[in-house]
Amino acid sequence: MDFTNSGDIEWEDAPPDHFTGAVRFGPHYPPQDPDDLNVLGVHFSPGARTDWHSHPGGQVIYVTEGAGYVVNETGNRAEITAGDVVHAPPNELHWHGARANSHMVHLSLTWRGATQWDARKVTDDEYEA
Ligand code: MN
């Protein structure tokens, strides 16, 4: 067993080409095989969010701190807070991020392949809609 105290987790900046605002990656359990489960902790500062993207095998988002949004291409917007769980089906275009007045931390659980980035930022109008 490998135990890491929360204060010892080394958060690092997420790649800015796929995010708006300050986003950091924390605990990461990358898959041994591309089809296997990929577990990643993600910390969004207030107002920060992903770009539009999808996941070939779908995604489970488990919110552990703060408050934010998950929005899909049809405009379905879920307001999420700590303890909430979201399932995005395979290949459904969406984004997630923190509210303007709160940070948000979530675990991302994905499998069967890497995130597909749509090369499209979430505009302020889309964020505030
Ligand atoms: Mn996602």
Side-chain angles (χ1 to χ4, degrees), residues 50 53-55 59 61 88 94-96:
T50 69
H53 66 279
S54 63
H55 307 278
Q59 179 182 37
I61 293 168
H94 67 272
W95 61 268
H96 24 114

Side-chain angles (χ1 to χ4, degrees), residues 34-79:
D35 284 347
D36 286 349
L37 185 64
N38 184 18
V39 178
L40 175 67
V42 188
H43 181 292
F44 298 88
S45 295
R49 65 267 191 180
T50 69
D51 293 353
W52 286 97
H53 66 279
S54 63
H55 307 278
Q59 179 182 37
V60 170
I61 293 168
Y62 176 43
V63 183
T64 59
E65 286 182 43
Y69 308 109
V70 180
V71 181
N72 71 9
E73 198 175 26
T74 66
N76 187 358
R77 172 181 290 252
E79 298 201 0

